[in-house]
Amino acid sequence: MTLQFSDIARQAAADGAVSAEEILALRRAGWTDGVISPAEAEAVMTLNDALAARSAEWCDFFVEAIGEFVINGSEPKGYVSDDNARWLMARLDRDGRLDSMAELELLVRVLERAANAPETLKTYALAQIEKAVLTGTGPTRSGGELAPNCVSDAEARLLRRVLFAAGGDGPAAVSRAEAELLFRLKDASRGAANGPEWKRLFVQGVGNHLMGYVSPTAQLDRARAGELESF
């Protein structure tokens, strides 16, 4: 990590705010050698934790910088290592929850960009969205009405991006566990004012699973197919 990068990040963290000029300086200093180092990634995370408010410019930089480190910070590049996935989840979950939409967007973007990522990372991202839906709180409800057991269009779009992301063991394929998550959300949000995106996602996601998965418990799949048709 360059001295300039360290100084800018430390001063901004002490101020609890980062200006557009400081973000530009961080970009220039961070990508001088074409990579984001572990020390630089940690400094960016520390600064993100200290910010009282996160501008659009900061969110863009945060997602790009940490995503670059997680995806390309170890060999082979383009693949999220187990160590980097564990670091990211532990770093985001330090206080037991995601604090901002930028953090959730980071998770989703990593899964979209990576050629492959540990399944634990995809499971963690989906769990954060499910928690927001069931409790009515969390980064997906930022600026919106706090209504538990209701799937908004924003949450449905995030779910779609994670379910069909390139990273993970089954890219573009919905696993049994993921289909069951969709059914849990359907049951929890029955009768709620869900966004129209949610119904489309449920039908497409569960349909994808039922069409692409050969199950040893066909009776269960037939039952789920009946539920899908009724929905």
Side-chain angles (χ1 to χ4, degrees):
M1 178 168 62
T2 66
L3 184 61
Q4 182 188 16
F5 190 101
S6 175
D7 288 344
I8 296 169
R10 187 183 303 111
Q11 184 59 56
D15 295 340
V18 59
S19 68
E21 291 76 16
E22 288 171 323
I23 295 170
L24 180 58
L26 286 171
R27 282 186 179 278
R28 289 172 173 165
W31 269 283
T32 297
D33 55 1
V35 298
I36 297 295
S37 70
E40 288 168 341
E42 186 63 38
V44 171
M45 280 290 194
T46 299
L47 175 51
N48 185 67
D49 292 341
L51 294 178
R54 297 170 178 88
S55 66
E57 291 90 350
W58 169 256
C59 292
D60 288 344
F61 171 71
F62 173 74
V63 171
E64 291 170 19
I66 300 300
E68 174 65 21
F69 168 71
V70 172
I71 297 171
N72 295 317
S74 60
E75 296 294 337
K77 294 186 184 302
Y79 292 77
V80 179
S81 68
D82 289 334
D83 286 344
N84 282 355
R86 281 193 293 269
W87 174 84
L88 179 60
M89 290 185 288
R91 202 59 183 76
L92 292 177
D93 213 33
R94 284 177 63 176
D95 57 359
R97 62 186 178 87
L98 299 188
D99 291 324
S100 70
M101 195 65 182
E103 295 178 352
L104 186 53
E105 177 66 19
L106 168 62
L107 281 171
V108 177
R109 286 279 293 279
V110 165
L111 290 167
E112 288 179 324
R113 286 182 54 207
N116 192 264
E119 194 64 20
T120 52
L121 190 61
K122 187 174 184 180
T123 300
Y124 176 76
L126 288 170
Q128 303 311 306
I129 302 172
E130 181 178 16
K131 184 189 301 183
V133 170
L134 297 179
T135 64
T137 61
T140 67
R141 301 302 174 99
S142 178
E145 182 180 355
L146 299 181
N149 301 324
C150 176
V151 188
S152 69
D153 279 342
E155 288 156 343
R157 284 191 288 268
L158 284 168
L159 282 167
R160 179 184 296 280
R161 291 171 63 192
V162 175
L163 289 173
F164 296 105
D169 291 339
V174 177
S175 69
R176 171 176 288 278
E178 292 162 354
E180 291 296 343
L181 178 146
L182 293 174
F183 273 104
R184 288 197 302 274
L185 295 180
K186 176 187 74 72
D187 293 340
S189 63
R190 191 187 304 274
N194 300 313
E197 288 289 334
W198 163 240
K199 184 171 184 177
R200 284 191 288 272
L201 174 62
F202 178 81
V203 171
Q204 292 167 357
V206 176
N208 173 287
H209 169 68
L210 293 175
M211 292 176 66
Y213 180 69
V214 179
S215 172
T217 54
Q219 187 64 41
L220 177 60
D221 279 345
R222 283 197 293 271
R224 285 309 202 193
E227 281 193 58
L228 177 60
E229 185 173 350
S230 297
F231 185 78

